[in-house]
Amino acid sequence: MYDGVRVGAHDPKMSDRKYRQRGYQDDDRGERKGKAPSSGSPGSGPREERIGPRTPNMPGFREVVRCGRCGNLVSADDPRCKRCGADLHSCAQCLYFDTSARFECTEPIPARIAPKDTHNECSFFGLRVTVERETGSTAPTSARKAFDDLFK
């Protein structure tokens, strides 16, 4: 009751509803159903028939070699990392390097090679190549361009 008058009791629209707030399931929504959609709405034109599954927009993948110490991209021909100077022909960069295996190598080596992060002449060496997702984003050339790109 509000000021001696029961709100919603005399309104037939509100008496059969569970929730008595104004706006909840109002009848004015029925007026919109009869209107034709505007030409700019997504459902206004004819729909295209699609045969088969939709092709996903998946980014590609690429194989890269990264330095084990700093994570810099390196080429397989480089003897050292250009950023941190770590040797690339070392156990730490090897495909068969595994800290839980015997002599920290999954290949049958006769003796442990130490230290693991310096250059060695192991015959089983294989450069570790990882597969990464291509994101396609490139770093902007200047801070001003990066700021302007935020508002495009």
Side-chain angles (χ1 to χ4, degrees):
M1 289 192 56
Y2 183 73
D3 290 334
V5 179
R6 289 180 52 195
V7 177
H10 63 279
D11 189 3
K13 291 191 301 187
M14 296 186 71
S15 62
D16 61 339
R17 291 194 223 147
K18 180 178 178 181
Y19 299 106
R20 300 194 188 284
Q21 294 92 347
R22 289 188 149 217
Y24 179 74
Q25 293 183 343
D26 283 342
D27 290 336
D28 63 340
R29 279 200 255 166
E31 296 171 8
R32 291 187 216 156
K33 290 181 184 174
K35 292 183 182 178
S38 63
S39 62
S41 66
S44 63
R47 295 184 77 175
E48 293 181 19
E49 293 284 329
R50 184 176 296 264
I51 299 172
R54 180 180 286 182
T55 305
N57 188 10
M58 298 287 292
F61 294 94
R62 64 182 178 161
E63 292 182 348
V64 296
V65 178
R66 290 197 176 266
C67 174
R69 184 181 291 171
C70 68
N72 187 34
L73 284 174
V74 294
S75 72
D77 301 331
D78 293 339
R80 296 178 151 270
C81 175
K82 292 177 182 165
R83 182 187 290 172
C84 68
D87 288 317
L88 296 181
H89 195 289
S90 64
C91 291
Q93 287 290 131
C94 184
L95 173 67
Y96 305 111
F97 180 68
D98 183 10
T99 57
S100 65
R102 181 176 181 246
F103 299 133
E104 297 181 317
C105 186
T106 57
E107 292 296 305
I109 57 174
R112 184 175 189 276
I113 299 171
K116 297 289 184 182
D117 59 345
T118 59
H119 184 78
N120 62 43
E121 296 299 327
C122 180
S123 60
F124 295 112
F125 178 79
L127 193 59
R128 184 180 335 128
V129 178
T130 57
V131 178
E132 292 183 353
R133 189 176 298 254
E134 287 181 342
T135 58
S137 63
T138 58
T141 56
S142 68
R144 180 68 182 177
K145 181 171 177 0
F147 179 75
D148 292 338
D149 288 345
L150 291 174
F151 301 102
K152 283 188 175 181

